[in-house]
Amino acid sequence: MQNRSMKMLGVSAALVLGLTACSGGGAGSDGGDDAGGGDAAPEDMTVGVAMPTQTYERWLNDGASVEEGLEELGYTADLQFADDDIPTQQQQIDQMITQEYDALIIASIDGSALTSQLDAAAAADIPVISYDRLLTNSENVDFYVTFDNFAVGQEQANALLYGLGVFDENFEEADDAPEETLNVELFAGSLDDNNARFFWDGAMDVLEPYIEDGTLAVPSGQTTIEQAATQRWEQETAQERMENLLTSDYAGDEELHGVLSPADPLSRGIINALRSDGMGDTIEDGLPIVTGQDAEIASVSLIAEGVQHSTIFKDTRNLADEAVSAADAFLNGEEPEANDTESYDNGSAVIPSYLLPVEMILEENYEEILVESDFYTEEQVESGQQ
Ligand code: BGC
């Protein structure tokens, strides 16, 4: 990092001295190819884009938007998905480095599994932008673009409490809150994804006082992130855990009122389990309140039908724009602009970050936020397909 910043200072100095109209020096000024060649145009530069999986709709959208944004600026983009397989992602990035790409945008599977790739990228003066998920245990991460992940968790918990009637429509304690203790179960994401902890911590920041004062109970007793985690964010895993919880803790007349779910595919797995257990088809007829994240079309459709209670919208078009601008800045010998230089310590360094805001989606606002802004058409919401 320091090495690179110093080199970048060198590039800026060269620019000030008018030595070269540099457009390829973000990664340093001594590369053997276009990366840092100093005179390369975007047309001569390739940016590697490594995405984790195609099984989540969001990563497909992210990949497409990043690719499009890079191509609009004239860069070549090489977009790769890794099927949630760590060795595949490592190999893809190794190849991008061997092929002397000019910058890398990486959404990792396991944030800590790419340290040797990051070392190699630094040695080759290739700037690395960590995309959505933080790359950890390495100082060779130049920039991080993401959403306010702690706020995602807080909003999920706010939505849950609102759905349970503990909060009113202003997200303040409701005057007519239920008097009985409300039973909830908690789900978390994959522990190798740094975001999972931020989501969990944000959610628990809101929920804990209500668990402590008896407003909420967690009948399974599974209240740690380790107990609640869903390895690789897999839908089947969440569905199975929900089925097991129903068998072990709700077989008698114990009622379940709500489930904190950190991502839409997991929410749909959980809803499958609840519906199969006869808990109702819609919230109106008894289905527990289930939260979510990503505003995937299938889940927005369920929200419109009163089945899934809520989700969190993260406009990935804006995240892609931020990643592309950051890459473009590095490749022009500049530093991208951070709006958070404190929150994301990756174990080796605090990574300068750009955080984007998030929005809670409910049955009453999906049209305004998602349809009127042209994120989805009403037909897509009706069909549940993009
Ligand atoms: C992302 C979420 C996504 C999850 C599963 C997280 O890192 O921030 O948007 O739902 O991964 O893919």
Side-chain angles (χ1 to χ4, degrees):
M1 274 288 281
Q2 204 172 17
N3 204 2
R4 174 162 305 137
S5 317
M6 284 163 65
K7 281 185 188 155
M8 286 197 302
L9 277 178
V11 172
S12 314
L15 278 173
V16 170
L17 292 169
L19 294 178
T20 170
C22 171
S23 62
S29 54
D30 58 356
D33 70 332
D34 304 332
D39 53 0
E43 286 67 27
D44 302 321
M45 292 195 267
T46 303
V47 179
V49 183
M51 291 282 148
T53 176
Q54 307 194 56
T55 59
Y56 268 61
E57 187 180 293
R58 74 151 291 186
W59 301 114
L60 289 170
N61 293 340
D62 284 280
S65 302
V66 173
E67 185 176 44
E68 195 184 306
L70 288 168
E71 284 170 356
E72 265 168 25
L73 294 183
Y75 297 104
T76 301
D78 180 5
L79 170 62
Q80 308 261 349
F81 292 91
D83 293 332
D84 260 338
D85 182 54
I86 296 166
T88 303
Q89 186 164 62
Q90 290 169 330
Q91 226 169 49
Q92 289 171 341
I93 297 170
D94 282 337
Q95 259 181 27
M96 291 172 179
I97 297 168
T98 313
Q99 291 176 62
E100 302 184 335
Y101 284 1
D102 299 277
L104 299 177
I105 296 175
I106 302 174
S108 55
I109 299 163
D110 176 336
S112 67
L114 298 173
T115 45
S116 68
Q117 284 68 30
L118 297 176
D119 288 350
D125 280 331
I126 302 171
V128 173
I129 294 148
S130 183
Y131 187 90
D132 192 75
R133 297 175 172 174
L134 187 64
L135 292 160
T136 56
N137 298 341
S138 170
E139 55 174 19
N140 296 317
V141 181
D142 295 274
F143 200 67
Y144 181 37
V145 293
T146 192
F147 292 90
D148 187 338
N149 296 307
F150 192 79
V152 169
Q154 289 178 312
E155 287 294 79
Q156 287 170 335
N158 285 333
L160 180 63
L161 291 170
Y162 173 53
L164 293 172
V166 177
F167 283 177
D168 64 18
E169 67 278 7
N170 300 315
F171 299 93
E172 281 158 13
E173 288 180 4
D175 295 333
D176 56 351
E179 278 169 19
E180 52 172 337
T181 294
L182 300 163
N183 290 336
V184 297
E185 293 297 337
L186 310 171
F187 283 69
S190 194
L191 292 178
D192 51 9
D193 175 354
N194 191 65
N195 286 347
R197 290 184 190 275
F198 272 79
F199 302 149
W200 178 264
D201 289 347
M204 294 314 275
D205 179 56
V206 175
L207 295 180
E208 238 156 29
Y210 294 97
I211 296 175
E212 272 161 25
D213 75 6
T215 305
L216 304 178
V218 185
S220 69
Q222 300 187 7
T223 53
T224 67
I225 186 172
E226 287 77 16
Q227 291 170 317
T230 314
Q231 174 72 356
R232 276 301 98 79
W233 296 93
E234 275 180 10
Q235 175 166 342
E236 303 70 37
T237 308
Q239 181 161 337
E240 240 175 71
R241 175 163 176 258
M242 190 69 248
E243 286 163 0
N244 292 339
L245 291 175
L246 289 172
T247 313
S248 56
D249 298 285
Y250 297 88
D253 40 2
E254 193 83 273
E255 253 188 277
L256 174 65
H257 301 98
V259 181
L260 175 80
S261 165
D264 286 342
L266 308 189
S267 316
R268 296 196 297 274
I270 291 163
I271 288 170
N272 288 342
L274 299 175
R275 280 176 147 179
S276 309
D277 199 66
M279 290 206 155
D281 263 346
T282 62
I283 296 170
E284 207 160 56
D285 60 42
L287 194 69
I289 301 298
V290 180
T291 65
Q293 174 175 198
D294 291 336
E296 286 199 355
I297 190 62
S299 283
V300 174
S301 189
L302 289 177
I303 289 171
E305 290 166 8
V307 176
Q308 183 171 322
H309 174 257
S310 52
T311 187
I312 305 296
F313 176 46
K314 309 199 299 192
D315 195 334
T316 52
R317 298 168 300 189
N318 296 340
L319 187 63
D321 282 351
E322 286 307 325
V324 169
S325 307
D328 190 48
F330 283 125
L331 293 172
N332 281 291
E334 293 156 12
E335 287 277 355
E337 199 185 317
N339 65 3
D340 185 319
T341 51
E342 284 171 13
S343 305
Y344 287 94
D345 184 339
N346 81 349
S348 298
V350 178
I351 309 301
S353 309
Y354 196 93
L355 269 51
L356 289 164
V358 302
E359 275 176 293
M360 184 196 297
I361 302 292
L362 304 159
E363 191 178 351
E364 58 254 43
N365 71 4
Y366 80 87
E367 279 187 332
E368 187 195 329
I369 299 178
L370 299 175
V371 180
E372 283 168 27
S373 73
D374 291 332
F375 196 76
Y376 291 134
T377 62
E378 195 61 68
E379 293 70 48
Q380 287 173 322
V381 175
E382 260 163 45
S383 69
Q385 279 169 8
Q386 261 192 329

